[in-house]
Amino acid sequence: MHPEGETKNIVARAIAIALKQNWKQTWGSLNHRLLIIIGSVLMVMISCMLPTFFNSIQKRTGPVLNDWLLAAVPPVNVSWAIFTVIWGWGLYALWRGIEKPTIYITYLWTFIFVTMLRVLAISLIPLDPPAGLVELKDPLTGVFYGQNVVTKDLFFSGHTSILFLTVLCLEKKRDKILAGCATFVVACLLMVQHVHYTIDIIAAPVIIYPVYRLVKYLIG
């Protein structure tokens, strides 16, 4: 075998062994095992209920906010850029979670609490979408929206939340910096496409951070 190919095989085996040991150790802890099982079940249940929720809020009416910053930005369709960043970075963050199961557990449970809080916030604060909205369509997340375009899931931004959670949950400094950049880029692109009001995007990290701290405290 070529030396370079042999080196790659050795590295691949070393990574596989390390992953197996990490998950074996995590699964060996009753607390971690319950967090993974219960969290995964809850996430599936929430995902099954979301299409009904999003379809119901789409039938409501609410005020259109006077957003001077958004009004200064001409609307442009940048869907491809938004989902390239979200799914590209999402896969990278998932790999980090596979490498270190505690990252996955923290993200999973924070995401569950954030999702429930977002459902509550959207229910209590009905808003019509911003003027100049360009519909944001993603075939991958369409399953959660019942394959319909939803424009009234506004306060607070789900896309910003998903990315900002990786800033909090990832541990390496480089990863946090890259996650912060990805969050900022997507936040700006959402504004460009007039998908969210400014307050929807700004509120996301402000709301999420204490939820993350609470989850970290609860799961130890």
Side-chain angles (χ1 to χ4, degrees):
M1 180 180 291
H2 194 278
E4 184 179 347
E6 185 175 355
T7 300
K8 289 181 179 179
N9 287 337
I10 292 173
V11 172
R13 285 197 296 269
I15 292 174
I17 292 171
L19 290 177
K20 184 177 180 180
Q21 289 176 339
N22 287 344
W23 278 94
K24 184 178 181 180
Q25 182 179 2
T26 301
W27 197 254
S29 165
L30 177 60
N31 184 46
H32 286 161
R33 188 161 67 246
L34 289 175
L35 286 171
I36 292 172
I37 294 173
I38 296 173
S40 299
V41 171
L42 283 176
M43 197 65 253
V44 170
M45 292 173 61
I46 291 171
S47 299
C48 291
M49 293 186 291
L50 283 179
T52 301
F53 171 73
F54 285 125
N55 288 334
S56 67
I57 64 165
Q58 195 63 19
K59 299 174 184 178
R60 305 182 309 177
T61 58
V64 176
L65 301 183
N66 181 20
D67 190 328
W68 63 268
L69 180 58
L70 200 63
V73 180
V76 179
N77 190 341
V78 288
S79 297
W80 65 271
I82 291 173
F83 291 120
T84 297
V85 175
I86 289 176
W87 287 108
W89 183 251
L91 289 173
Y92 179 82
L94 176 62
W95 167 247
R96 287 302 192 197
I98 292 173
E99 279 187 322
K100 191 167 185 179
T102 51
I103 293 177
Y104 171 77
I105 293 171
T106 302
Y107 190 96
L108 173 65
W109 277 95
T110 308
F111 185 77
I112 288 171
F113 279 99
V114 167
T115 301
M116 292 189 297
L117 189 57
R118 189 165 176 259
V119 166
L120 177 62
I122 292 171
S123 299
L124 296 176
I125 308 173
L127 295 171
D128 273 1
L133 164 76
V134 180
E135 291 184 350
L136 186 64
K137 297 181 180 180
D138 178 16
L140 294 177
T141 57
V143 63
F144 301 116
Y145 292 84
Q147 300 301 328
N148 296 320
V149 176
V150 176
T151 59
K152 298 183 179 182
D153 58 331
L154 295 169
F155 188 82
F156 47 96
S157 169
H159 296 99
T160 308
S161 300
I162 289 171
L163 290 174
F164 186 70
L165 273 179
T166 66
V167 178
L168 299 175
C169 294
L170 294 175
E171 297 179 351
K172 295 184 178 180
K173 183 178 179 180
R174 176 177 173 272
D175 288 347
K176 286 182 175 292
I177 292 173
L178 291 175
C181 292
T183 304
F184 179 77
V185 168
V186 167
C188 291
L189 292 175
L190 290 172
M191 295 280 292
V192 168
Q193 193 153 334
H194 287 219
V195 175
H196 278 287
Y197 293 105
T198 306
I199 189 63
D200 301 334
I201 294 170
I202 294 176
V206 175
I207 294 172
I208 289 170
Y209 181 74
V211 176
Y212 164 79
R213 297 305 305 177
L214 175 63
V215 169
K216 287 287 287 185
Y217 172 78
L218 291 176
I219 67 177

